Amino acid sequence: MTERTAIVTGAARGIGAAVAARLAADGYAVAVVDLDEGSTSATVEAIRAADGRAVGIGADVADEQQVAAAVQRTVDELGAPTILVNNAGILRDNLLFKMSVDDWDAVLNVHLRGAFLMSRAVQTHQVAAEWGRIVNLSSTSALGNRGQANYAAAKAGMQGFTKTLAIELGRYNVTANAIAPGFIETEMTAATARRVGLEPEEFFALAAKEIPVGRTGTPADIAAAASFFCSEEAGFVSGQVLYVAGGPRA
């Protein structure tokens, strides 16, 4: 296999960083994209320390010009990208009657507009190569979650977006799949814990009691799923949503 290039958005920390590191370990060159280029340095340095190839790129995935520039820089420094992991996301949780229009728009813009702009830019290179992998991050919140009307709508939208990409791009040997994580231990969930007045460890322990496998997830769990979807062996798997949540979610 000739070396392939991947782009992972929201890759400065958490799930995105774990996915970027795993793809680099799988042999791909990786563009580590996040809002602030400086924040990508730890992920990039870790990949390079393990003899991988990586570049950090700062870009707002909801901005069309910045997306175009990020993809072009990836081409220039690592090669044409044929793997894309749309992981970038934010939270602006609140009950519906308290949710502002700005908080609604911000979440939908980063998750859905960002995935659209990145996928549209990268598919050009995938079609030219007649090979590609797109992995979109959804969530168990796509099934509904109190205080997350914006996030749930965005993550449900990611599933429909994924299935449509699979239909449109399949003829070019490009697959599109989604991963829907359950409770994953990240800085984001730790911040949620503190917001509700709990220490992260206490919050994680309470969450684990509701999960059939008896533990919360880690970014590495999601990275393993992304690794499979990006592999040669997954070429006949497309349009699927994989719930990585330690059990079924009603």
Side-chain angles (χ1 to χ4, degrees):
M1 184 187 77
T2 57
E3 185 180 60
R4 302 193 190 280
T5 298
I7 295 176
V8 183
T9 68
R13 59 186 64 81
I15 289 172
V19 170
R22 177 61 184 263
L23 295 185
D26 289 343
Y28 309 120
V30 182
V32 178
V33 176
D34 215 298
L35 188 60
D36 172 40
E37 183 171 329
S39 69
T40 68
S41 60
T43 304
V44 171
E45 289 168 9
I47 290 172
R48 291 176 177 171
D51 297 323
R53 292 180 64 213
V55 62
I57 299 174
D60 177 355
V61 296
D63 184 286
E64 186 175 4
Q65 284 70 42
Q66 291 188 41
V67 165
V71 173
Q72 186 58 52
R73 185 173 165 197
T74 301
V75 173
D76 295 340
E77 298 193 29
L78 297 176
T82 54
I83 296 171
L84 171 64
V85 180
N86 285 309
N87 170 72
I90 61 172
L91 290 176
R92 295 290 186 272
D93 294 351
N94 222 327
L95 294 175
L96 180 64
F97 77 98
K98 294 181 179 179
M99 187 173 291
S100 69
V101 171
D102 286 345
D103 284 347
W104 173 272
D105 287 346
V107 170
L108 272 291
N109 281 343
V110 173
H111 291 269
L112 286 179
R113 179 182 168 91
F116 158 67
L117 290 174
M118 289 298 306
S119 299
R120 190 181 62 173
V122 170
Q123 63 85 31
T124 299
H125 301 287
Q126 295 173 325
V127 170
E130 297 184 337
W131 191 95
R133 301 285 187 263
I134 296 174
V135 180
N136 295 320
L137 268 291
S138 180
S139 169
T140 54
S141 291
L143 302 173
N145 199 29
R146 178 180 171 83
Q148 289 194 317
N150 48 6
Y151 187 76
K155 291 306 191 182
M158 290 290 271
Q159 296 188 17
F161 179 63
T162 298
K163 293 176 184 293
T164 300
L165 293 183
I167 293 167
E168 292 187 6
L169 299 176
R171 69 185 64 187
Y172 305 107
N173 198 25
V174 177
T175 66
N177 292 286
I179 300 171
F183 192 102
I184 307 297
E185 294 185 14
T186 64
E187 291 180 17
M188 189 177 290
T189 49
T192 299
R194 296 186 183 96
R195 193 162 58 245
V196 299
L198 297 174
E199 288 301 314
E201 294 75 15
E202 182 183 5
F203 190 57
F204 298 159
L206 289 171
K209 292 179 180 180
E210 305 300 320
I211 300 172
V213 300
R215 71 170 177 88
T216 51
T218 68
D221 292 315
I222 309 306
S227 174
F228 169 68
F229 279 143
C230 293
S231 70
E232 293 287 340
E233 291 83 356
F236 201 56
V237 181
S238 195
Q240 302 306 302
V241 179
L242 177 63
Y243 282 81
V244 183
R249 165 77 182 263

